């Protein structure tokens, strides 16, 4: 059984279709990169998987269960399919350790000492143990993103979603985040990544999905997709390379 299966997903905004008939599946331990032009539906697809957007049609099966059912506990789903946002979404009035503890305490109802222990373990995993007492305003962009990753890991998610995790970072900071994500991939963490950065996606992902105008134009193993791109994907790669 696939850990995630998206079937015939559809989503419109103000009558304009953004996702038209999107289907794909993901196995446990895989990293999927979703690529496409601006407006192709990449982030909308990710937000539907996390239930931040409610699709107009189709189904999303997580471990065989359709999470679009009205009976679904959305907070529980979001703790198991956790999102790392482009803008970090750290609480400015809390230090790094507190940022990594709050959801554990409020959503998972862990005790203070247990939450602290898990937070410190995951900060160590992203190389930021020494920043536990620091506030977000004192951190670089790359450090903020690594804190956001640690915070998500503290929830012991089954799947990690990344929405443009490096778009606001300079090349050195991109390398920081890329190294952390590569380590997570090697540890078997299941991930879905939306990005504009082709080489970043190519280095991290095991599967690639190319969206074009809200439909799946190409999907498969990353090596095969890049070796034999569809005409539209080849055009996309050429444009991105020239920029």
């Amino acid at each position: 059984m696939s850990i995630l299966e998206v079937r015939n997903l559809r989503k419109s905004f103000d009558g304009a279709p953004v996702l038209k008939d999107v289907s794909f599946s993901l196995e446990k331990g895989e990293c999927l990169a979703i690529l496409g032009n601006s407006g192709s539906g990449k982030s909308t697809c990710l937000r539907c998987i996390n239930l931040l957007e409610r699709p107009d049609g189709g189904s999303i099966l997580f471990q065989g269960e359709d999470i679009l059912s009205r009976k679904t506990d959305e907070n529980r789903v979001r703790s198991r399919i956790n999102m790392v946002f482009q803008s970090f979404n750290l609480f400015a009035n809390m230090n790094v350790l507190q940022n990594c503890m709050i959801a554990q305490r409020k959503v998972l109802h862990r005790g203070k000492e247990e939450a602290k222990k898990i937070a410190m373990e995951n900060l160590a995993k992203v190389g930021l143990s020494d920043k536990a007492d620091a506030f977000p305003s004192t951190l670089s962009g790359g450090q903020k993103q690594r804190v956001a990753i640690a915070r998500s890991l503290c929830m012991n998610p089954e799947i990690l979603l990344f929405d443009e995790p490096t778009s606001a970072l300079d090349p050195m900071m991109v390398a920081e985040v890329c190294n952390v994500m590569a380590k997570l991939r090697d540890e078997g963490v299941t991930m879905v990544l939306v990005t504009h950065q082709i080489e970043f996606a190519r280095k991290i992902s095991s599967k690639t999905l190319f969206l074009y105008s809200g439909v799946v134009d190409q999907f498969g193993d990353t090596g095969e997709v890049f070796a034999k791109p569809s005409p539209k994907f080849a055009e996309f790669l050429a444009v991105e390379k020239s920029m």
Side-chain angles (χ1 to χ4, degrees):
M1 182 190 300
S2 300
I3 190 171
L4 180 71
E5 187 172 355
V6 175
R7 297 177 180 171
N8 311 112
L9 202 65
R10 302 187 306 280
K11 177 65 179 177
S12 296
F13 292 101
D14 298 324
V18 176
L19 299 175
K20 298 173 184 176
D21 187 19
V22 172
S23 299
F24 62 90
S25 62
L26 186 67
E27 303 299 317
K28 187 175 177 62
E30 289 184 329
C31 178
L32 170 67
I34 302 179
L35 303 177
N37 296 308
S38 295
S40 61
K42 305 184 300 298
S43 291
T44 298
C45 183
L46 209 64
R47 290 174 65 84
C48 286
I49 293 170
N50 194 237
L51 301 182
L52 292 172
E53 298 286 355
R54 176 65 61 170
D56 300 324
S59 57
I60 300 174
L61 302 181
F62 171 57
Q63 296 181 329
E65 175 187 351
D66 190 353
I67 61 173
L68 298 183
S69 166
R70 292 295 176 182
K71 298 178 181 178
T72 297
D73 181 339
E74 293 187 357
N75 288 330
R76 180 171 173 268
V77 168
R78 291 189 191 115
S79 72
R80 300 176 71 195
I81 306 176
N82 210 267
M83 178 87 81
V84 178
F85 294 93
Q86 175 182 352
S87 55
F88 321 127
N89 285 17
L90 301 178
F91 294 106
N93 63 333
M94 297 182 183
N95 66 26
V96 165
L97 181 59
Q98 291 166 333
N99 266 280
C100 291
M101 289 176 62
I102 186 169
Q104 295 188 69
R105 301 275 280 140
K106 290 186 176 295
V107 178
L108 301 182
H109 307 295
R110 288 175 179 155
K112 182 177 180 180
E113 290 306 313
E114 181 186 12
K116 181 177 180 179
K117 178 176 180 290
I118 291 170
M120 291 304 298
E121 287 172 353
N122 284 297
L123 286 172
K125 187 172 287 190
V126 300
L128 289 175
S129 299
D130 60 331
K131 297 293 184 180
D133 296 326
F135 283 82
S137 61
T138 69
L139 303 177
S140 70
Q143 289 171 332
K144 289 177 184 177
Q145 193 60 282
R146 284 188 282 153
V147 172
I149 293 171
R151 179 180 59 185
S152 287
L153 291 173
C154 286
M155 303 300 287
N156 300 117
E158 298 289 335
I159 303 175
L160 267 181
L161 308 179
F162 294 85
D163 188 11
E164 299 282 4
T166 59
S167 64
L169 307 179
D170 65 33
M172 186 174 295
M173 294 176 185
V174 169
E176 286 181 25
V177 175
C178 185
N179 290 337
V180 168
M181 291 180 64
K183 181 180 177 182
L184 295 177
R185 177 204 59 205
D186 294 344
E187 292 175 355
V189 177
T190 307
M191 298 184 284
V192 182
L193 163 69
V194 163
T195 183
H196 281 91
Q197 297 185 332
I198 304 302
E199 288 309 311
F200 177 65
R202 193 171 186 171
K203 180 178 179 181
I204 294 296
S205 67
S206 52
K207 291 276 185 71
T208 294
L209 183 149
F210 177 62
L211 281 177
Y212 184 84
S213 295
V215 299
V216 176
D217 179 72
Q218 193 168 11
F219 171 62
D221 291 338
T222 292
E224 295 177 6
V225 169
F226 276 87
K228 297 179 179 179
S230 69
K232 288 186 176 69
F233 188 41
E235 181 181 356
F236 171 78
L237 293 174
V239 170
E240 290 294 315
K241 187 175 180 179
S242 67
M243 294 178 66

